[in-house]
Structures are given as C-alpha cells and as structure tokens.
Coordinates of all heavy atoms in Angstrom, one line a residue:
S283 N 104.3 116.2 158.3 CA 105.6 115.6 158.2 C 105.8 115.0 156.7 O 104.8 114.6 156.2 CB 105.7 114.3 159.1 OG 104.8 113.3 158.8
P284 N 106.9 115.0 156.2 CA 107.1 114.6 154.8 C 106.6 113.1 154.6 O 106.1 112.9 153.4 CB 108.6 114.5 154.6 CG 109.3 115.5 155.7 CD 108.3 115.4 156.8
M285 N 106.5 112.2 155.5 CA 106.1 110.9 155.3 C 104.6 110.8 155.0 O 104.1 110.0 154.4 CB 106.4 109.9 156.6 CG 107.8 109.5 156.5 SD 108.2 108.4 155.2 CE 107.4 107.1 155.7
S286 N 103.8 111.8 155.6 CA 102.3 111.7 155.5 C 101.7 112.7 154.5 O 100.6 112.8 154.3 CB 101.6 111.9 156.9 OG 101.9 113.1 157.4
D287 N 102.6 113.5 153.9 CA 102.2 114.5 152.9 C 101.4 113.8 151.8 O 102.1 113.0 151.2 CB 103.2 115.4 152.4 CG 103.6 116.5 153.4 OD1 103.0 116.6 154.5 OD2 104.7 117.1 153.2
I288 N 100.3 114.1 151.5 CA 99.7 113.6 150.2 C 99.3 114.6 149.2 O 98.7 115.8 149.6 CB 98.2 112.9 150.7 CG1 98.4 111.8 151.8 CG2 97.4 112.4 149.6 CD1 97.1 111.5 152.5
I289 N 99.7 114.4 148.2 CA 99.5 115.4 147.1 C 98.4 114.9 146.1 O 98.6 113.9 145.7 CB 100.9 115.7 146.2 CG1 101.9 116.2 147.2 CG2 100.6 116.5 145.1 CD1 103.4 116.0 146.7
I290 N 97.3 115.6 146.0 CA 96.2 115.3 145.2 C 96.4 116.2 143.9 O 96.4 117.3 143.9 CB 94.8 115.6 145.8 CG1 94.8 114.7 147.1 CG2 93.7 115.3 144.9 CD1 93.7 115.2 148.1
T291 N 96.5 115.5 142.9 CA 96.5 116.2 141.4 C 95.1 116.2 140.9 O 94.6 115.1 140.5 CB 97.5 115.6 140.5 OG1 97.3 114.2 140.5 CG2 98.9 115.9 141.0
P292 N 94.4 117.4 140.6 CA 93.1 117.3 140.0 C 93.2 116.8 138.5 O 94.0 117.2 137.8 CB 92.7 118.8 140.0 CG 93.8 119.5 140.7 CD 94.9 118.8 140.9
K293 N 92.1 116.0 138.3 CA 92.1 115.5 137.0 C 91.4 116.5 136.0 O 90.5 117.0 136.5 CB 91.3 114.1 137.0 CG 92.0 113.0 137.6 CD 91.4 111.6 137.0 CE 91.9 110.4 137.6 NZ 91.2 110.0 138.9
T294 N 91.9 116.6 134.8 CA 91.1 117.5 133.9 C 90.2 116.6 133.2 O 90.6 115.5 132.5 CB 92.1 118.1 133.0 OG1 93.1 118.9 133.7 CG2 91.5 119.0 132.0
R295 N 88.9 117.0 133.2 CA 88.0 116.2 132.4 C 88.0 116.5 130.9 O 87.8 117.6 130.7 CB 86.6 116.4 132.9 CG 85.6 115.4 132.6 CD 84.0 115.6 132.9 NE 83.1 114.6 132.4 CZ 82.8 114.5 131.3 NH1 83.3 115.1 130.2 NH2 82.0 113.4 131.0
I296 N 88.2 115.6 130.1 CA 88.4 115.8 128.7 C 86.9 115.6 128.0 O 86.4 114.6 128.2 CB 89.5 114.8 128.0 CG1 90.9 115.1 128.6 CG2 89.4 115.0 126.6 CD1 91.8 114.0 128.6
Q297 N 86.7 116.8 127.5 CA 85.4 116.7 126.7 C 85.5 116.2 125.2 O 86.3 116.8 124.5 CB 84.7 118.2 126.6 CG 83.4 118.2 126.0 CD 82.9 119.7 126.0 OE1 82.9 120.4 126.9 NE2 82.5 119.9 124.7
V298 N 84.9 115.1 125.1 CA 85.2 114.3 123.7 C 84.3 115.1 122.7 O 84.6 115.9 121.9 CB 85.0 112.9 123.8 CG1 85.3 112.3 122.4 CG2 86.1 112.3 124.7
K299 N 82.9 114.8 123.0 CA 81.9 115.3 122.1 C 81.3 116.7 122.9 O 81.4 116.6 124.2 CB 80.7 114.4 121.9 CG 80.9 113.4 120.8 CD 79.6 112.6 120.7 CE 79.9 111.6 119.5 NZ 78.8 110.7 119.2
S300 N 81.0 117.7 122.1 CA 80.4 118.9 122.8 C 79.0 118.5 123.4 O 78.3 117.9 122.8 CB 80.2 120.0 121.7 OG 79.3 119.6 120.8
D301 N 78.9 118.8 124.8 CA 77.7 118.6 125.3 C 76.5 119.5 124.7 O 76.7 120.6 124.7 CB 77.7 119.0 126.9 CG 78.8 118.2 127.6 OD1 79.2 117.1 127.1 OD2 79.1 118.5 128.9
R302 N 75.5 118.7 124.5 CA 74.3 119.5 124.0 C 73.5 120.2 125.1 O 73.4 119.6 126.2 CB 73.4 118.7 123.1 CG 72.9 117.4 123.7 CD 72.3 116.5 122.7 NE 71.9 115.1 123.2 CZ 72.9 114.1 123.4 NH1 74.1 114.4 123.4 NH2 72.4 113.0 123.9
P303 N 73.1 121.4 124.9 CA 72.5 122.1 126.0 C 71.2 121.5 126.6 O 70.5 120.8 125.9 CB 72.2 123.6 125.4 CG 72.1 123.3 124.0 CD 73.1 122.2 123.7
R304 N 71.1 121.4 127.9 CA 69.9 120.9 128.5 C 68.6 121.7 128.1 O 68.6 122.8 128.0 CB 70.0 121.0 130.0 CG 69.6 119.8 130.7 CD 69.9 119.8 132.1 NE 68.9 119.0 132.9 CZ 68.5 119.2 134.1 NH1 69.0 120.1 134.8 NH2 67.6 118.4 134.6
L305 N 67.6 120.9 127.6 CA 66.4 121.6 127.2 C 65.4 121.9 128.4 O 65.5 121.1 129.3 CB 65.8 120.8 126.1 CG 66.6 120.6 124.8 CD1 65.9 119.8 123.9 CD2 66.9 122.0 124.3
H306 N 64.6 122.8 128.1 CA 63.6 123.4 129.3 C 62.2 123.4 128.6 O 62.1 123.8 127.4 CB 63.9 124.7 129.8 CG 65.1 124.6 130.8 ND1 65.2 124.8 132.1 CD2 66.5 124.2 130.5 CE1 66.3 124.7 132.6 NE2 67.2 124.4 131.7
K307 N 61.2 122.8 129.3 CA 59.9 122.8 128.8 C 59.3 124.2 129.2 O 59.5 124.6 130.3 CB 59.2 121.6 129.7 CG 59.7 120.3 129.3 CD 58.9 119.3 130.0 CE 59.3 119.2 131.5 NZ 58.8 117.9 132.1
V308 N 58.4 124.6 128.3 CA 57.5 125.7 128.7 C 56.1 125.1 128.9 O 55.7 124.2 128.1 CB 57.3 126.7 127.5 CG1 56.2 127.7 127.7 CG2 58.7 127.4 127.1
I309 N 55.6 125.4 130.1 CA 54.3 124.8 130.5 C 53.2 125.8 130.8 O 53.4 126.8 131.3 CB 54.6 124.1 131.9 CG1 55.7 123.0 131.7 CG2 53.3 123.5 132.5 CD1 56.2 122.5 132.9
L310 N 52.1 125.4 130.1 CA 50.8 126.3 130.2 C 50.0 125.8 131.4 O 49.9 124.7 131.5 CB 50.0 126.2 128.9 CG 48.7 126.8 128.9 CD1 48.6 128.2 129.2 CD2 47.8 126.3 127.6
V311 N 49.7 126.9 132.2 CA 48.9 126.5 133.5 C 47.5 127.0 133.2 O 47.3 128.1 132.9 CB 49.5 127.2 134.7 CG1 48.9 126.9 136.0 CG2 51.2 126.9 134.9
N312 N 46.5 126.1 133.7 CA 45.1 126.5 133.7 C 44.7 127.6 134.7 O 45.4 127.7 135.7 CB 44.3 125.3 133.7 CG 42.8 125.6 133.6 OD1 42.4 126.4 132.7 ND2 41.9 124.9 134.4
D313 N 43.7 128.3 134.4 CA 43.1 129.1 135.3 C 41.6 129.4 135.0 O 41.1 128.7 134.0 CB 43.7 130.6 135.3 CG 43.5 131.4 134.0 OD1 42.3 131.9 133.8 OD2 44.4 131.4 133.2
D314 N 40.8 130.0 135.9 CA 39.3 130.0 135.7 C 38.9 131.2 134.8 O 37.7 131.4 134.7 CB 38.6 130.0 137.1 CG 38.8 128.7 137.8 OD1 39.0 127.6 137.2 OD2 38.7 128.6 139.0
Y315 N 39.8 132.2 134.6 CA 39.3 133.4 134.0 C 39.9 133.7 132.5 O 39.1 134.5 131.9 CB 39.9 134.6 134.9 CG 39.5 134.3 136.3 CD1 40.4 133.7 137.4 CD2 38.3 134.7 136.8 CE1 40.0 133.6 138.6 CE2 37.8 134.4 138.1 CZ 38.7 134.0 139.1 OH 38.2 133.6 140.3
T316 N 40.8 133.3 132.2 CA 41.4 133.6 130.8 C 40.4 132.9 129.8 O 40.2 131.7 129.8 CB 42.8 133.1 130.4 OG1 43.6 133.7 131.6 CG2 43.4 133.8 129.2
P317 N 39.9 133.6 128.8 CA 39.0 133.1 127.8 C 39.9 132.1 127.0 O 41.0 132.2 126.6 CB 38.6 134.2 126.9 CG 38.8 135.5 127.9 CD 39.9 135.1 128.6
R318 N 39.2 130.8 126.6 CA 39.7 129.9 125.7 C 40.4 130.5 124.5 O 41.5 130.0 124.2 CB 38.8 128.8 125.4 CG 38.3 127.9 126.7 CD 37.3 126.9 126.2 NE 36.7 126.2 127.3 CZ 36.4 124.9 127.1 NH1 36.5 124.3 125.9 NH2 35.8 124.2 128.1
E319 N 39.7 131.2 123.8 CA 40.1 131.7 122.5 C 41.3 132.7 122.7 O 42.1 132.7 121.7 CB 39.0 132.4 121.8 CG 38.2 133.4 122.5 CD 37.0 132.9 123.4 OE1 37.0 131.8 123.9 OE2 36.2 133.7 123.8
F320 N 41.5 133.4 123.9 CA 42.7 134.1 123.9 C 43.9 133.3 124.3 O 44.9 133.5 123.7 CB 42.5 135.2 125.3 CG 43.6 136.1 125.4 CD1 43.9 137.1 124.5 CD2 44.6 135.8 126.4 CE1 44.9 137.9 124.7 CE2 45.6 136.6 126.6 CZ 45.9 137.6 125.7
V321 N 43.6 132.2 125.0 CA 44.8 131.2 125.2 C 45.3 130.8 123.8 O 46.5 130.7 123.6 CB 44.4 130.1 126.1 CG1 45.4 129.1 126.2 CG2 43.8 130.5 127.5
V322 N 44.4 130.5 123.1 CA 44.7 129.9 121.7 C 45.4 130.9 120.8 O 46.3 130.7 120.2 CB 43.4 129.5 120.9 CG1 43.6 129.1 119.5 CG2 42.8 128.1 121.6
T323 N 45.0 132.2 121.0 CA 45.7 133.4 120.2 C 47.2 133.5 120.6 O 47.9 133.7 119.8 CB 44.9 134.6 120.4 OG1 43.5 134.3 120.0 CG2 45.5 135.9 119.7
V324 N 47.2 133.4 122.0 CA 48.7 133.5 122.4 C 49.6 132.4 122.0 O 50.7 132.6 121.7 CB 48.6 133.7 124.0 CG1 50.1 133.6 124.6 CG2 47.9 135.0 124.5
L325 N 49.0 131.2 122.1 CA 49.9 130.0 121.8 C 50.2 130.1 120.2 O 51.4 129.7 119.9 CB 49.0 128.8 121.9 CG 48.9 128.3 123.3 CD1 47.8 127.2 123.4 CD2 50.1 128.0 124.0
K326 N 49.4 130.6 119.4 CA 49.6 130.7 117.9 C 50.7 131.8 117.8 O 51.7 131.6 117.0 CB 48.3 131.1 117.2 CG 47.4 129.9 117.0 CD 45.9 130.3 116.7 CE 45.9 130.8 115.2 NZ 44.6 131.2 114.9
A327 N 50.5 132.9 118.4 CA 51.4 134.0 118.3 C 52.9 133.8 118.8 O 53.7 134.2 118.2 CB 50.8 135.3 118.9
E328 N 52.9 133.3 120.0 CA 54.2 133.3 120.7 C 54.9 132.0 120.5 O 56.2 131.7 120.7 CB 54.0 133.3 122.3 CG 53.2 134.7 122.6 CD 54.2 135.9 122.5 OE1 55.3 135.8 122.3 OE2 53.6 137.0 122.5
F329 N 54.2 130.8 120.1 CA 54.8 129.6 119.8 C 54.7 129.1 118.4 O 54.9 127.7 118.3 CB 54.3 128.5 121.0 CG 54.6 129.0 122.4 CD1 53.7 129.7 123.0 CD2 55.9 128.8 122.9 CE1 53.9 130.1 124.4 CE2 56.2 129.3 124.2 CZ 55.2 129.9 124.9
C330 N 54.4 129.8 117.5 CA 54.1 129.5 116.1 C 53.3 128.2 115.8 O 53.7 127.4 115.2 CB 55.6 129.3 115.5 SG 56.6 130.7 115.7
M331 N 52.2 128.1 116.6 CA 51.4 126.9 116.4 C 50.2 127.2 115.5 O 49.8 128.4 115.3 CB 50.7 126.5 117.9 CG 51.6 126.0 118.8 SD 50.6 125.5 120.4 CE 52.0 124.6 121.2
S332 N 49.8 126.1 114.8 CA 48.6 126.1 113.9 C 47.3 126.2 114.9 O 47.4 126.0 116.2 CB 48.5 124.9 113.2 OG 48.1 123.8 114.1
E333 N 46.3 126.7 114.6 CA 44.9 126.7 115.1 C 44.6 125.3 115.8 O 44.4 125.3 117.1 CB 43.8 127.0 114.2 CG 42.5 127.1 114.8 CD 42.2 128.3 115.7 OE1 42.8 129.3 115.5 OE2 41.3 128.1 116.7
D334 N 44.8 124.3 115.1 CA 44.5 122.9 115.6 C 45.5 122.5 116.9 O 44.9 121.9 118.0 CB 44.7 121.8 114.6 CG 43.4 121.8 113.7 OD1 42.7 122.7 113.8 OD2 43.2 120.7 113.0
Q335 N 46.8 122.7 116.7 CA 47.8 122.5 117.7 C 47.5 123.3 119.0 O 47.5 122.7 120.1 CB 49.2 123.0 117.2 CG 49.8 122.0 116.2 CD 51.3 122.6 115.9 OE1 51.2 123.7 115.3 NE2 52.3 121.8 116.1
A336 N 47.1 124.6 118.7 CA 46.9 125.5 119.9 C 45.6 125.2 120.6 O 45.5 125.1 121.9 CB 46.8 127.0 119.3
Q337 N 44.7 124.7 119.9 CA 43.4 124.2 120.5 C 43.6 123.1 121.4 O 43.1 122.9 122.4 CB 42.2 123.9 119.3 CG 41.7 125.0 118.8 CD 40.6 125.8 119.7 OE1 40.1 125.2 120.7 NE2 40.1 126.9 119.2
R338 N 44.5 122.1 120.9 CA 44.8 120.8 121.5 C 45.5 121.1 122.9 O 45.2 120.5 123.9 CB 45.5 119.8 120.7 CG 44.6 119.1 119.9 CD 45.4 117.8 119.2 NE 46.2 118.3 118.1 CZ 45.8 118.2 116.9 NH1 44.7 118.0 116.5 NH2 46.8 118.6 115.9
V339 N 46.5 122.0 122.8 CA 47.2 122.3 124.0 C 46.3 123.0 125.0 O 46.5 122.8 126.3 CB 48.5 123.2 123.6 CG1 49.2 123.8 124.8 CG2 49.5 122.3 122.8
M340 N 45.6 123.9 124.5 CA 44.7 124.8 125.4 C 43.8 123.9 126.1 O 43.6 124.0 127.4 CB 43.9 125.9 124.7 CG 43.0 126.8 125.5 SD 41.4 125.9 125.8 CE 40.8 125.9 124.2
I341 N 43.1 123.0 125.5 CA 42.1 122.0 126.0 C 42.6 121.0 127.0 O 42.1 120.7 128.0 CB 41.1 121.3 125.1 CG1 39.7 121.1 125.5 CG2 41.7 120.1 124.5 CD1 38.9 122.4 125.7
T342 N 43.9 120.6 126.7 CA 44.7 119.8 127.5 C 45.0 120.5 128.9 O 44.7 119.8 129.9 CB 45.9 119.1 127.0 OG1 45.7 118.5 125.7 CG2 46.7 118.3 127.8
A343 N 45.5 121.6 128.9 CA 45.7 122.5 130.1 C 44.5 122.7 130.9 O 44.3 122.6 132.1 CB 46.3 123.8 129.8
H344 N 43.3 123.0 130.1 CA 42.0 123.3 130.7 C 41.5 122.0 131.5 O 41.0 122.1 132.6 CB 41.0 123.6 129.6 CG 39.6 123.8 130.0 ND1 39.2 125.0 130.8 CD2 38.5 123.1 129.9 CE1 38.0 124.9 130.9 NE2 37.5 123.7 130.5
R345 N 41.6 120.9 130.9 CA 41.2 119.5 131.6 C 42.2 119.0 132.6 O 41.7 118.5 133.6 CB 41.0 118.6 130.5 CG 39.8 118.7 129.5 CD 39.7 117.8 128.4 NE 38.7 118.0 127.5 CZ 38.7 117.6 126.3 NH1 39.6 116.8 125.7 NH2 37.6 117.9 125.5
R346 N 43.4 119.1 132.3 CA 44.4 118.5 133.2 C 45.2 119.3 134.1 O 45.8 118.9 135.1 CB 45.5 117.8 132.5 CG 44.7 116.6 131.4 CD 45.8 116.0 130.6 NE 46.9 115.3 131.2 CZ 46.8 114.1 131.3 NH1 45.8 113.3 130.8 NH2 47.9 113.3 131.8
G347 N 44.9 120.7 134.0 CA 45.7 121.7 134.8 C 46.9 122.2 134.2 O 47.2 123.5 134.6
V348 N 47.6 121.5 133.5 CA 48.9 122.0 132.9 C 49.0 121.3 131.5 O 48.5 120.1 131.4 CB 50.2 121.7 133.7 CG1 50.2 122.6 134.9 CG2 50.3 120.2 134.1
C349 N 49.9 121.8 130.7 CA 50.3 121.2 129.4 C 51.7 121.6 128.9 O 51.8 122.8 128.9 CB 49.2 121.4 128.3 SG 49.6 120.5 126.7
V350 N 52.5 120.7 128.6 CA 53.7 121.1 127.8 C 53.4 121.7 126.6 O 52.8 121.2 125.8 CB 54.7 120.0 127.8 CG1 56.0 120.4 127.1 CG2 55.1 119.3 129.1
V351 N 54.0 123.0 126.4 CA 53.7 123.7 125.1 C 55.0 123.4 124.1 O 54.7 123.1 122.9 CB 53.7 125.2 125.3 CG1 53.6 125.9 124.1 CG2 52.7 125.6 126.3
A352 N 56.2 123.5 124.6 CA 57.2 123.2 123.7 C 58.6 123.2 124.6 O 58.6 123.3 125.8 CB 57.4 124.4 122.8
V353 N 59.7 122.7 124.0 CA 60.9 122.6 124.7 C 62.0 123.4 123.9 O 62.0 123.5 122.6 CB 61.6 121.2 124.9 CG1 60.7 120.4 125.9 CG2 61.6 120.4 123.5
Y354 N 62.8 124.2 124.6 CA 63.9 125.1 124.1 C 65.1 125.0 125.0 O 64.9 124.5 126.1 CB 63.4 126.6 124.0 CG 62.1 126.8 123.2 CD1 60.8 126.9 124.0 CD2 62.1 127.0 121.8 CE1 59.6 127.2 123.1 CE2 61.0 127.2 121.1 CZ 59.8 127.3 121.8 OH 58.6 127.6 121.0
T355 N 66.1 125.8 124.6 CA 67.3 126.0 125.6 C 66.7 126.9 126.6 O 65.7 127.6 126.5 CB 68.4 126.8 124.8 OG1 67.8 128.0 124.3 CG2 69.0 125.9 123.8
K356 N 67.5 126.9 127.9 CA 66.9 127.7 129.0 C 66.5 129.1 128.7 O 65.4 129.4 129.1 CB 67.9 127.6 130.1 CG 67.5 128.1 131.5 CD 68.5 127.9 132.6 CE 68.0 128.1 133.9 NZ 67.9 129.5 134.2
D357 N 67.4 129.9 128.0 CA 67.2 131.2 127.7 C 65.9 131.4 127.0 O 65.1 132.3 127.1 CB 68.5 131.8 127.1 CG 69.6 132.0 128.0 OD1 69.6 131.5 129.3 OD2 70.6 132.6 127.6
V358 N 65.8 130.7 125.9 CA 64.8 130.9 125.0 C 63.5 130.5 125.6 O 62.3 131.2 125.5 CB 64.9 130.1 123.6 CG1 63.6 130.1 122.7 CG2 66.1 130.5 122.8
A359 N 63.3 129.4 126.4 CA 62.2 128.9 127.2 C 61.7 130.0 128.0 O 60.5 130.3 128.2 CB 62.5 127.6 128.0
E360 N 62.6 130.6 128.9 CA 62.3 131.6 129.9 C 61.8 132.9 129.2 O 60.8 133.6 129.6 CB 63.5 131.9 130.8 CG 63.7 130.9 131.8 CD 65.0 131.0 132.6 OE1 65.7 131.9 132.3 OE2 65.2 130.1 133.5
A361 N 62.4 133.3 128.1 CA 62.0 134.4 127.3 C 60.5 134.2 126.8 O 59.7 135.2 126.8 CB 63.0 134.7 126.2
K362 N 60.3 133.1 126.2 CA 59.0 132.8 125.6 C 57.9 132.8 126.6 O 56.8 133.2 126.5 CB 59.0 131.4 124.8 CG 60.0 131.5 123.6 CD 59.1 131.3 122.4 CE 60.0 131.2 121.2 NZ 59.3 131.6 120.0
A363 N 58.2 132.2 127.8 CA 57.2 132.0 128.9 C 56.9 133.4 129.4 O 55.7 133.7 129.6 CB 57.7 131.1 130.0
T364 N 57.9 134.2 129.4 CA 57.7 135.6 130.1 C 56.9 136.5 129.1 O 55.9 137.1 129.5 CB 59.0 136.4 130.3 OG1 59.9 135.6 131.5 CG2 58.9 137.7 130.8
A365 N 57.2 136.3 127.8 CA 56.4 137.0 126.7 C 54.9 136.7 126.7 O 54.0 137.4 126.6 CB 57.1 136.9 125.4
A366 N 54.8 135.4 126.8 CA 53.4 134.8 126.7 C 52.6 135.2 128.0 O 51.3 135.5 127.9 CB 53.3 133.3 126.6
T367 N 53.2 135.1 129.1 CA 52.5 135.5 130.4 C 52.3 137.0 130.3 O 51.1 137.4 130.7 CB 53.5 135.2 131.7 OG1 53.7 133.8 131.6 CG2 52.8 135.7 132.9
E368 N 53.1 137.9 129.7 CA 52.8 139.3 129.7 C 51.8 139.6 128.8 O 51.0 140.6 129.1 CB 54.1 140.0 129.3 CG 55.0 140.1 130.6 CD 56.6 140.8 130.3 OE1 56.7 140.9 129.1 OE2 57.3 141.0 131.2
A369 N 51.5 138.8 127.7 CA 50.5 139.0 126.8 C 49.1 139.0 127.5 O 48.2 139.8 127.1 CB 50.6 138.1 125.7
G370 N 49.1 138.0 128.4 CA 47.8 137.9 129.2 C 47.7 139.0 130.1 O 46.6 139.6 130.3
R371 N 48.7 139.3 130.8 CA 48.7 140.4 131.9 C 48.4 141.8 131.2 O 47.6 142.5 131.9 CB 50.2 140.5 132.4 CG 50.4 141.6 133.5 CD 50.0 141.3 134.8 NE 48.7 141.8 135.1 CZ 48.5 143.1 135.5 NH1 49.5 143.9 135.6 NH2 47.4 143.4 135.9
R372 N 48.7 142.1 130.0 CA 48.4 143.3 129.4 C 46.8 143.4 129.1 O 46.3 144.4 129.0 CB 49.0 143.4 128.0 CG 50.5 143.7 128.0 CD 51.0 144.2 126.7 NE 51.0 143.2 125.6 CZ 51.9 142.3 125.4 NH1 53.1 142.4 126.3 NH2 52.0 141.4 124.6
K373 N 46.2 142.2 129.1 CA 44.6 142.1 128.9 C 44.1 142.0 130.2 O 42.8 141.8 130.3 CB 44.3 141.1 127.9 CG 44.7 141.1 126.6 CD 44.0 142.1 125.7 CE 44.3 142.0 124.2 NZ 43.6 143.0 123.3
G374 N 44.7 142.0 131.3 CA 44.2 141.8 132.7 C 43.8 140.3 133.0 O 43.1 140.0 134.0
Y375 N 44.5 139.4 132.2 CA 44.2 137.9 132.6 C 45.4 137.4 133.3 O 46.5 137.6 133.2 CB 44.1 137.2 131.3 CG 42.8 137.6 130.3 CD1 43.0 137.8 129.1 CD2 41.6 137.7 131.0 CE1 41.9 138.2 128.2 CE2 40.5 138.1 130.3 CZ 40.8 138.4 128.8 OH 39.6 138.8 128.1
P376 N 45.0 136.2 134.3 CA 46.0 135.6 135.0 C 46.8 134.5 134.4 O 47.4 133.7 134.9 CB 45.3 135.1 136.2 CG 44.0 134.7 135.6 CD 43.7 135.8 134.5
L377 N 46.7 134.4 133.1 CA 47.3 133.4 132.2 C 48.9 133.3 132.6 O 49.5 134.3 132.7 CB 47.2 133.9 130.8 CG 47.8 132.9 129.7 CD1 46.9 131.5 129.8 CD2 47.7 133.5 128.3
L378 N 49.1 132.0 132.8 CA 50.5 131.8 133.4 C 51.3 130.6 132.6 O 50.8 129.6 132.3 CB 50.6 131.4 134.7 CG 51.9 131.0 135.4 CD1 52.9 132.3 135.5 CD2 51.6 130.5 136.9
F379 N 52.5 131.1 132.0 CA 53.4 130.0 131.5 C 54.7 130.0 132.4 O 55.2 130.9 132.8 CB 53.9 130.4 130.1 CG 52.9 130.5 129.1 CD1 52.0 131.5 129.0 CD2 52.7 129.4 128.1 CE1 50.7 131.6 128.0 CE2 51.6 129.4 127.2 CZ 50.7 130.6 127.1
T380 N 55.0 128.7 132.7 CA 56.2 128.4 133.5 C 57.3 127.6 132.7 O 57.0 127.2 131.7 CB 55.9 127.7 134.8 OG1 55.4 126.4 134.5 CG2 54.8 128.4 135.6
T381 N 58.4 127.5 133.4 CA 59.4 126.6 132.6 C 60.0 125.5 133.6 O 60.0 125.9 134.9 CB 60.6 127.4 132.1 OG1 61.4 128.0 133.2 CG2 60.1 128.5 131.1
E382 N 60.4 124.5 133.1 CA 61.2 123.5 133.9 C 62.0 122.7 133.2 O 61.9 122.4 132.0 CB 60.3 122.6 134.8 CG 59.5 121.8 134.1 CD 58.6 120.7 135.0 OE1 57.8 121.1 135.7 OE2 58.9 119.6 134.8
P383 N 63.3 122.4 133.8 CA 64.3 121.6 133.0 C 63.7 120.2 132.6 O 63.0 119.6 133.3 CB 65.4 121.4 133.8 CG 65.1 121.9 135.2 CD 63.8 122.8 135.1
E384 N 64.1 119.7 131.5 CA 63.7 118.4 131.0 C 64.5 117.2 131.7 O 65.7 117.5 132.0 CB 63.9 118.3 129.5 CG 62.8 117.8 128.7 CD 63.1 117.5 127.2 OE1 64.2 117.4 126.8 OE2 62.0 117.5 126.4
E385 N 63.8 116.1 132.1 CA 64.4 115.0 132.7 C 64.8 115.3 134.2 O 65.3 115.9 134.7 CB 65.7 114.4 132.0 CG 65.2 113.2 131.0 CD 64.6 113.7 129.7 OE1 63.4 114.2 129.6 OE2 65.4 113.7 128.8
Ligands
TYC545 N1 39.9 127.4 132.0 C1 39.7 128.6 131.2 C2 38.3 128.9 130.8 O1 37.4 128.0 131.2 C3 40.5 128.4 129.7 C4 41.9 128.1 129.8 C5 42.5 127.1 129.3 C6 42.7 129.1 130.6 C7 43.9 126.8 129.5 C8 44.0 128.8 130.9 O2 46.0 127.4 130.3 C9 44.6 127.8 130.2 N2 37.9 130.0 130.4

C-alpha cells in the first residue's frame, strides 16, 4: 500500500584517499629434506636477499617451522611463492613457500 512503501536509497561511499592495496606475506615452510644451502640459494635468487639475510630466514624456518620472507601485493606475493616453490620442485625437493594476507 502507498502508506507502507519504504524507499531505500543506497548511499555512495565516497573514497577520499586512495586505499593502499592489502599486503600479503610470503612464508617459508620447513621440511626435513631440502638442503640448507639450497634454501639459502633460492632466497637470494627469488627475494633479492644477501647471504646473511637468507641464512637468518632459513635458520628461523628450520628452528620454528615457518618464517616470513617478505611482504608484497597479493599478485606479486603469489608469483614469488610459486616461482620459489617451483625452483625446489625442479631439483626434486619439497621446499614450500605459501602466502597469507597481512593483519
Ligand atoms: N630442515 C632442512 C634440513 O635440515 C633445511 C630447511 C630449512 C628446509 C628451512 C626448509 O624452509 C626450510 N636440511
């Protein structure tokens, strides 16, 4: 009936500042088979790390099970994790890199 008709007007959300893209972590996962020095080689090649940085990340994953390698936009994080995991796969190692959103 005309008396009970309710008209809902959708609000347009005004974006003032441009939202910065949500960042995603690349995570190195420990395993029992991949040689330590190979993990370090992959970290240096795929994530532009120094020998010292790569050693620290590798040993942290080795001791704790996982270590955050770096943060990127979703697309870049997923591409880097895939490339690094495939580098291990090509040598027959179960080396694994995963991604997860930050916060
Ligand atoms: N745990 C492996 C070894 O003892 C080395 C290793 C470290 C593998 C970190 C994976 O993410 C990793 N050979």
